[in-house]
Amino acid sequence: MTPPIVPGKNGMSTVLLSHPSGSSADVYLNGAHVTSWIPAGGKEVLFMGKTAAFAPGDPIRGGIPVVFPQFANTGPLPQHGFARKTEWELAENADASDDPSSVKLVLTDDHRTRELWPYHFRTELTARIDEKSLQVKLEVFNTGDEIFSFTAAFHTYIAIADIRETALRGFTGKWYLDKTQGGNETKDEAKKLVIVDETDRVYLKAPKKVEVEDRGNDRRIEKVTGFIGLDTDDYMRMVCVEAAQIGSPVELKPAATWSGTQTLAIV
């Protein structure tokens, strides 16, 4: 059977993924946005703010927003580009799949996107779950006749019990831009990253694997990459760890393809 499309919050179209092990995930067509992933026998991994708005054309705060073709405010486009607040479609061959644990969504250029970004493109997002992991893959195709550049990211919100009992591992020895200090470049010498105050870092040449130690929930979440509507106390229950291609924009030639993949796993 194929994953069903059902009305989600506020009636918005949502794909429900399921795996024989009992794991599940929700993917909204608005933004190709994964809003929930529950591994088999486990708890929700993705964080959603209590006041997150669900409305067509608006970005969903929480889960895994898709950032494309611009990260943050690093260019002339709206914050984080337009993909996260645009309705995607099921891939044409999606109905031929008998796998309820995966879905492929597609976004192509139209007059609305070309008013913001004058290029011809096709993007595909594939979400796939198994017993203990969620893989999200973003592919970008240049379908026009001129080169274009872009940045992209999975702006992943991870649910944790208490930020004070959370540590991130994998950054030791890596250089980062500290956005709370005007973008100063700093080397991370700590054995683990513990959040004790406002933290906003862009790690350059980031590691392929990052581990989130969620001691309050007695679990570790491993993030492997190839690539806010919050209440006042929500910041204590979430941490954003983003897989991103932003240090050097992708230069994509006509007929060329780029892809980036993020895998979350309970270990």
Side-chain angles (χ1 to χ4, degrees):
M1 60 177 291
T2 56
I5 297 181
V6 302
K9 291 187 177 181
N10 294 334
M12 297 174 67
S13 297
T14 310
V15 180
L16 303 183
L17 301 185
S18 61
H19 187 268
S21 65
S23 65
S24 65
D26 298 349
V27 187
Y28 277 69
L29 268 58
N30 186 75
H33 198 125
V34 182
T35 60
S36 172
W37 171 50
I38 303 175
K43 302 177 181 178
E44 177 64 63
V45 174
L46 302 179
F47 173 85
M48 293 296 301
K50 296 176 183 177
T51 59
F54 286 79
D58 287 344
I60 301 172
R61 307 293 185 176
I64 308 179
V66 177
V67 174
F68 173 86
Q70 175 187 292
F71 181 81
N73 57 357
T74 55
L77 297 178
Q79 176 87 357
H80 287 323
F82 50 75
R84 67 186 182 136
K85 50 187 177 182
T86 303
E87 190 84 356
W88 294 49
E89 299 179 346
L90 281 176
E92 292 180 359
N93 61 351
D95 291 339
S97 171
D98 289 327
D99 184 4
S101 65
S102 68
V103 67
K104 178 180 288 188
L105 302 179
V106 177
L107 177 66
T108 56
D109 65 277
D110 59 21
H111 69 280
R112 291 165 298 183
T113 66
R114 290 191 297 272
E115 287 177 357
L116 294 170
W117 197 58
Y119 301 106
H120 295 278
F121 67 91
R122 173 185 174 92
T123 52
E124 296 182 355
L125 181 129
T126 303
R128 185 184 309 274
I129 60 173
D130 60 20
E131 182 180 7
K132 296 292 184 182
S133 71
L134 162 68
Q135 183 186 85
V136 186
K137 180 180 182 180
L138 181 68
E139 297 175 276
V140 181
F141 306 84
N142 186 337
T143 59
D145 55 8
E146 57 181 314
I147 191 171
F148 61 71
S149 65
F150 66 89
T151 49
F154 290 125
H155 197 309
T156 307
Y157 292 72
I158 295 176
I160 53 176
D162 190 328
I163 191 66
R164 295 166 296 186
E165 297 184 34
T166 302
L168 289 82
R169 302 178 186 274
F171 296 119
T172 306
K174 301 294 183 179
W175 289 87
Y176 64 91
L177 304 179
D178 190 339
K179 297 180 70 175
T180 68
Q181 300 295 326
N184 290 340
E185 190 167 339
T186 306
K187 188 176 184 179
D188 193 336
E189 301 284 9
K191 292 184 179 180
K192 61 183 180 181
L193 172 58
V194 179
I195 309 297
V196 295
D197 52 19
E198 182 183 359
T199 303
D200 190 355
R201 300 178 178 183
V202 176
Y203 280 87
L204 307 172
K205 297 182 180 179
K208 295 294 184 182
K209 182 186 297 186
V210 175
E211 186 175 282
V212 179
E213 182 181 322
D214 182 11
R215 293 191 293 272
N217 277 321
D218 191 26
R219 67 181 180 183
R220 287 180 296 135
I221 303 163
E222 184 180 273
K223 178 165 180 171
V224 182
T225 64
F227 165 49
I228 275 214
L230 302 179
D231 278 359
T232 54
D233 62 343
D234 276 350
Y235 74 96
M236 300 293 291
R237 300 183 293 106
M238 53 76 66
V239 61
C240 277
V241 185
E242 306 171 39
Q245 178 70 46
I246 58 174
S248 55
V250 177
E251 300 285 340
L252 202 61
K253 296 179 180 179
T257 304
W258 172 91
S259 69
T261 304
Q262 165 185 286
T263 301
L264 299 179
I266 301 297
V267 295

